[in-house]
């Protein structure tokens, strides 16, 4: 569906800001609490929480993260799920979301209604109240940026796992399948690994974790300990149907979890416990080795690149 209206009467510019905000409240429905706990005041009032809080932000931009072939409801859901994937990577649970919308006055009212209704349905599914936001006009732009707050999954004493903590010799695992995300439609159909992330964060033998969004070849750098390099086995990569090794390592938008498991861990026990809990695949794809000691049959990640933001310059 083309996000831009062919007739002025069908565009948001015909509504004006106040009528648009009223419509947004209606489209969000029960996904947005009443003010001051939701839309309608200068700030939203959030209940106090115990323990550490998490916060993340991610956008969807027309021409970058979606196009006219993706239904507006799916775009709204993708926006929230991208942020949920970030929380999943740290073992977190969502508590509230705020949305900043930047759009051209020619954007279709019908497209925008679909976007908000898709966002609202996803928010209800994952029990995330949309507590506020902002609308700004910019010619030729359609973009939405969502800020998501969360907490450690199991409360005050729960562990928040980060990208740091892996050591040389640790095993590298990835959930699900990777590669071919755009071609298969996975990039908007995916399910964020919230349950899996919370489960993994509770295990002491999982040292570090992150979500795979810019391509495994790039993302793994953030998980790699100092003085080490990843030694991956190409045959072990859990590739999506039709995806090549290069696609699995470089394309991105997989929204799976990559994690480091301690070299002394009972891997068979970990994998058995995983299978009892989840139907999602969990695959060991290699391990971290000392720089310069990568086995000859391991993938040379220097030959692959993930998605580089701003690489196209201006």
């Amino acid at each position: 569906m083309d996000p831009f209206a062919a007739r002025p009467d069908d565009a948001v510019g015909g509504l004006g800001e106040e009528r648009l905000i009223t419509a947004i409240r209606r489209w969000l429905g029960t996904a947005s609490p009443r003010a001051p706990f939701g839309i309608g005041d200068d700030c939203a009032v959030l209940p106090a929480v115990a323990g550490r809080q998490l916060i993340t932000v991610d956008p969807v931009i027309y021409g970058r993260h979606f196009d006219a072939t993706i239904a507006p409801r799916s775009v709204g859901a993708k926006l929230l799920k991208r942020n949920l994937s970030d929380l999943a990577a740290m073992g977190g649970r969502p508590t509230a979301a705020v949305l900043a919308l930047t759009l051209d006055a020619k954007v279709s009212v019908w497209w925008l209604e679909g976007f908000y209704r898709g966002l609202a349905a996803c928010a209800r599914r994952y029990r995330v109240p949309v507590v506020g936001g902002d609308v700004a006009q910019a010619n030729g732009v359609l973009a939405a940026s969502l800020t998501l707050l969360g907490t450690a999954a199991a409360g005050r004493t729960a562990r928040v796992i980060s990208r740091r903590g892996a050591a040389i010799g640790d095993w590298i695992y990835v959930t699900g399948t990777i590669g071919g995300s755009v071609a298969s439609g996975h990039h908007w159909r995916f399910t964020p690994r919230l349950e899996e992330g919370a489960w993994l964060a509770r295990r002491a033998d999982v040292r570090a974790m992150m979500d795979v969004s810019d391509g495994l070849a790039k993302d793994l750098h953030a998980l790699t300990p100092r003085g080490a390099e990843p030694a991956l086995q190409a045959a072990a990569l859990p590739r999506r149907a039709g995806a090549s090794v290069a696609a699995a390592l470089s394309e991105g938008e997989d929204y799976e979890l990559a994690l480091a498991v301690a070299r002394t861990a009972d891997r068979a026990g970990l994998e058995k416990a995983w299978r009892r809990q989840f139907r999602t695949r969990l695959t060991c794809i290699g391990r971290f080795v000392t720089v310069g000691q990568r086995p000859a049959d391991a993938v040379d990640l220097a030959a692959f690149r993930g998605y580089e933001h701003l690489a196209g310059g201006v």
Side-chain angles (χ1 to χ4, degrees), residues 9 65 79 114 124 157 196-197 274 300:
D9 289 348
H65 302 103
L79 173 59
R124 285 190 288 269
T157 59
E196 292 88 343
W274 174 272
D300 179 8

Side-chain angles (χ1 to χ4, degrees), residues 129-268:
V130 181
V131 299
D134 188 50
V135 177
Q137 182 179 347
N139 294 339
V141 175
L142 175 54
S145 186
L146 187 137
T147 300
L148 184 64
L149 291 87
T151 62
R156 181 187 297 273
T157 59
R159 177 189 182 200
V160 173
I161 192 167
S162 74
R163 298 177 175 186
R164 297 180 182 273
I168 293 174
D170 285 356
W171 300 96
I172 304 168
Y173 280 74
V174 66
T175 63
T177 54
I178 54 178
S181 179
V182 173
S184 65
H186 174 81
H187 73 104
W188 58 268
R189 292 193 182 101
F190 71 95
T191 299
R193 302 302 188 193
L194 282 168
E195 296 299 327
E196 292 88 343
W199 187 87
L200 290 165
R202 288 195 293 269
R203 295 189 62 99
D205 50 5
V206 176
R207 294 183 187 268
M209 189 159 64
M210 65 181 302
D211 83 325
V212 182
S213 56
D214 289 337
L216 190 64
K218 176 188 174 187
D219 289 338
L220 266 185
H221 290 303
L223 213 61
T224 303
R226 181 174 297 180
E229 62 178 313
L232 305 185
Q233 296 299 316
L237 293 173
R239 289 179 283 156
R240 194 161 290 110
S244 64
V245 169
L249 292 172
S250 305
E251 286 190 352
E253 293 226 78
D254 293 303
Y255 303 110
E256 294 293 347
L257 302 176
L259 52 137
V261 173
R263 61 185 174 87
T264 56
D266 173 8
R267 292 172 53 213

Side-chain angles (χ1 to χ4, degrees), residues 23-301:
I24 289 172
R25 286 179 180 148
R26 184 173 71 254
W27 297 334
L28 286 173
T30 56
S32 182
R34 293 179 179 275
F37 306 103
I39 295 174
D41 216 314
D42 291 309
C43 298
V45 178
L46 301 178
V49 298
R52 287 172 289 185
Q53 297 187 63
L54 306 174
I55 183 168
T56 185
V57 60
D58 245 332
V60 287
I61 302 169
Y62 180 61
R64 181 68 65 180
H65 302 103
F66 69 96
D67 58 24
T69 67
I70 313 290
R73 289 182 66 96
S74 299
V75 177
K78 176 177 179 177
L79 173 59
L80 178 54
K81 291 191 295 182
R82 296 187 80 207
N83 285 272
L84 290 170
S85 184
D86 284 334
L87 279 189
M90 302 193 77
R93 299 279 193 193
T95 55
V98 177
L99 174 64
L101 183 67
T102 305
L103 75 175
D104 192 297
K106 296 177 182 175
V107 168
S108 161
V109 173
W110 304 113
W111 189 94
L112 198 61
E113 177 177 356
F115 169 84
Y116 271 100
R117 291 196 183 281
L119 172 68
C122 188
R124 285 190 288 269
R125 176 181 175 184
Y126 290 101
R127 300 182 179 181
V128 189
V130 181
V131 299
D134 188 50
V135 177
Q137 182 179 347
N139 294 339
V141 175
L142 175 54
S145 186
L146 187 137
T147 300
L148 184 64
L149 291 87
T151 62
R156 181 187 297 273
T157 59
R159 177 189 182 200
V160 173
I161 192 167
S162 74
R163 298 177 175 186
R164 297 180 182 273
I168 293 174
D170 285 356
W171 300 96
I172 304 168
Y173 280 74
V174 66
T175 63
T177 54
I178 54 178
S181 179
V182 173
S184 65
H186 174 81
H187 73 104
W188 58 268
R189 292 193 182 101
F190 71 95
T191 299
R193 302 302 188 193
L194 282 168
E195 296 299 327
E196 292 88 343
W199 187 87
L200 290 165
R202 288 195 293 269
R203 295 189 62 99
D205 50 5
V206 176
R207 294 183 187 268
M209 189 159 64
M210 65 181 302
D211 83 325
V212 182
S213 56
D214 289 337
L216 190 64
K218 176 188 174 187
D219 289 338
L220 266 185
H221 290 303
L223 213 61
T224 303
R226 181 174 297 180
E229 62 178 313
L232 305 185
Q233 296 299 316
L237 293 173
R239 289 179 283 156
R240 194 161 290 110
S244 64
V245 169
L249 292 172
S250 305
E251 286 190 352
E253 293 226 78
D254 293 303
Y255 303 110
E256 294 293 347
L257 302 176
L259 52 137
V261 173
R263 61 185 174 87
T264 56
D266 173 8
R267 292 172 53 213
L270 166 67
E271 294 169 9
K272 183 177 180 180
W274 174 272
R275 289 193 297 271
R276 284 199 302 264
Q277 196 73 21
F278 304 107
R279 297 179 65 182
T280 305
R281 291 174 66 173
L282 179 67
T283 307
C284 181
I285 57 175
R287 64 191 312 179
F288 292 112
V289 299
T290 302
V291 170
Q293 296 185 7
R294 175 167 45 84
D297 61 347
V299 177
D300 179 8
L301 288 184

